[in-house]
Amino acid sequence: MAFKERVFSGVQPTGNLHLGNYLGAIVKFVALQENYDCIYCVVDMHAITVWQDPAELKKTTREVTAAFIACGIDPQKHIIFNQSQVAEHAELAWVCNCVARMGWLNRMTQFKEKAGKDRENVSVGLFVYPSLMAADILVYRATHVPVGEDQKQHLELSRDIAQKFNNDFAESIRSHGFGDAFFPLPEPLIQGPATRVMSLRDGSKKMSKSDASDQSRINLTDDADTIALKIRRAKTDPHPLPSEEKGLEGRPEAENLVGIYAALQGVSRADVLKQFGGGQFSTFKNALADLSVAKLGPIGAEMKRLTQDHAYIDKVLAHGSERAQAIAAETMKAVKDIVGFVRR
Ligand code: AQP
């Protein structure tokens, strides 16, 4: 069965948005709006799988919304909203919980990393996070999901849940007139030179909002001097840049900075090395600092301006929630019929 093409993705309001979120996800959100109907969600229900200060959660929810708009997403043409305002996400998540198997969730590496040794004490929500993520996508019957590399496994789980639902309820799906499959198998979109941006302090760790060191990431709201300083201080090795990609092997910090330059400039890593290979790191870092300031500076300034305008941001979220809910409610009606719930 051919499904209507639709893009869905989400970002957690858990702190400062950084260059990794931007290159791994938001840049793609912006590009996809040319050719698809897009739904972009501030996933506040995912955020509370670890404790959040309530006032801070409201602030970061508005900041992420401002970032979406400042980066170029059009909230009139596409949908921007926060997850908690469309109750169907939680409703479908319950169905997803009942379809997903314990063994599948037990294999999720992000849960293992986030829970660490404290597994008994983390929230149940953190464990079933991937099942809520599946519901986020499936409630819109989305066909394409732009994400960073770290979300690949969760996307595969979403596909498994969709497939199992389609199989488990095949007869009911058919008898309700939905053909061979009710949910599309959502396709991850993870291409590009910076699908996993690494920490500026440690090339083996992902750039992350929750890293204790602010020097490890470039925040979208950092000013020009801070961006330049963080790049000049980024960890590197003593060797000059290689002229070919093969020479980046075993040099995670160099590889990371080359990937960032390539993604910001919209060229390949090979192109970057053609230009800077053989030269000193300091020359390359200066060029990267200038490029980063040129690309991120205007976004940060617009984010700050928009974040102050609560009335506007809240209006965008309210309008987006209404539009999102109209789609989600249709899906839930069908899911209830398919599963066998008697409806009012
Ligand atoms: N370092 C990264 N490189 C490329 N993409 C990244 N993403 C996150 N970090 C990187 C992508 O950004 C989108 C939104 O991520 P998220 O906010 O839902 O949560 P996360 O993946 O857990 O990001 P953080 O920054 O590491 O947050 P914390 O520290 O709160 O866990 C996703 O598409 C993600 O792949």
Side-chain angles (χ1 to χ4, degrees):
M1 170 176 170
F3 290 93
K4 178 179 160 32
E5 293 198 318
R6 182 178 279 145
V7 168
F8 175 90
S9 197
V11 173
Q12 295 190 78
T14 42
N16 285 322
L17 283 190
H18 52 72
L19 186 62
N21 300 128
Y22 178 67
L23 294 177
I26 302 174
V27 162
K28 295 179 204 155
F29 296 0
V30 176
L32 287 162
Q33 59 180 348
E34 292 302 317
N35 296 318
Y36 294 90
D37 285 338
C38 303
I39 304 177
Y40 296 127
C41 186
V42 186
V43 287
D44 48 6
M45 285 159 63
H46 282 282
I48 63 160
T49 55
V50 294
W51 195 82
Q52 303 293 328
D53 176 81
E56 197 58 28
L57 182 61
K58 285 189 180 168
K59 183 169 162 265
T60 43
T61 297
R62 292 188 175 111
E63 266 171 21
V64 174
T65 309
F68 283 171
I69 302 167
C71 290
I73 297 167
D74 181 341
Q76 292 302 325
K77 288 203 184 121
H78 302 277
I79 297 178
I80 297 178
F81 75 108
N82 56 322
Q83 187 186 23
S84 60
Q85 300 312 296
V86 178
E88 284 79 0
H89 286 247
E91 266 189 288
L92 185 59
W94 182 254
V95 177
C96 290
N97 279 339
C98 296
V99 171
R101 306 291 90 182
M102 285 295 286
W104 298 0
L105 286 161
N106 272 330
R107 282 195 284 277
M108 294 297 110
T109 53
Q110 190 174 77
F111 175 75
K112 289 182 197 160
E113 280 160 22
K114 290 205 168 175
K117 292 195 178 73
D118 204 21
R119 233 183 136 124
E120 292 294 308
N121 271 321
V122 295
S123 73
V124 176
L126 190 67
F127 184 69
V128 292
Y129 178 118
S131 185
L132 174 59
M133 179 165 154
D136 298 337
I137 298 164
L138 300 180
V139 85
Y140 302 103
R141 300 168 89 195
T143 51
H144 295 82
V145 186
V147 283
E149 245 270 317
D150 61 321
Q151 293 299 326
K152 189 165 182 255
Q153 194 186 32
H154 288 166
L155 241 303
E156 278 158 10
L157 186 100
S158 299
R159 289 170 64 89
D160 289 343
I161 291 176
Q163 182 72 70
K164 187 161 170 14
F165 181 94
N166 289 340
N167 292 346
D168 288 356
F169 296 101
E171 213 181 296
S172 185
I173 289 169
R174 225 169 288 127
S175 73
H176 284 91
F178 293 108
D180 292 336
F182 181 70
F183 288 125
L185 304 189
E187 200 182 305
L189 301 175
I190 319 185
Q191 315 80 357
T195 54
R196 189 177 180 82
V197 178
M198 308 308 278
S199 156
L200 298 180
R201 308 306 303 163
D202 177 351
S204 68
K205 266 171 60 184
K206 182 180 90 119
M207 186 177 284
S208 166
K209 302 187 204 94
S210 52
D211 194 314
S213 163
D214 193 59
Q215 295 299 312
S216 69
R217 64 180 162 261
I218 292 174
N219 303 305
L220 294 188
T221 47
D222 281 344
D223 61 29
D225 289 348
T226 310
I227 294 174
L229 199 67
K230 282 180 178 176
I231 289 184
R232 293 202 179 97
R233 284 191 183 154
K235 189 177 165 201
T236 42
D237 55 48
H239 309 291
L241 272 180
S243 301
E244 289 181 8
E245 278 189 84
K246 208 166 159 22
L248 290 172
E249 276 170 25
R251 300 178 62 188
E253 284 86 12
E255 189 180 2
N256 189 37
L257 295 183
V258 169
I260 291 172
Y261 191 102
L264 283 174
Q265 185 72 323
V267 297
S268 69
R269 288 173 192 225
D271 291 333
V272 178
L273 294 177
K274 239 183 256 160
Q275 190 180 347
F276 294 99
Q280 287 308 311
F281 250 116
S282 53
T283 313
F284 172 63
K285 277 183 169 179
N286 285 337
L288 179 57
D290 290 346
L291 178 63
S292 305
V293 169
K295 296 279 179 185
L296 302 180
I299 293 174
E302 180 63 356
M303 260 180 85
K304 280 179 201 147
R305 189 187 71 76
L306 287 169
T307 306
Q308 318 248 318
D309 192 349
H310 278 197
Y312 172 66
I313 295 290
D314 291 0
K315 212 164 80 190
V316 166
L317 290 174
H319 178 57
S321 302
E322 273 173 32
R323 292 161 70 201
Q325 187 149 38
I327 304 168
E330 281 303 305
T331 306
M332 270 324 289
K333 238 199 270 171
V335 166
K336 284 175 184 172
D337 288 341
I338 291 166
V339 168
F341 294 159
V342 175
R343 281 201 289 121
R344 273 183 273 155

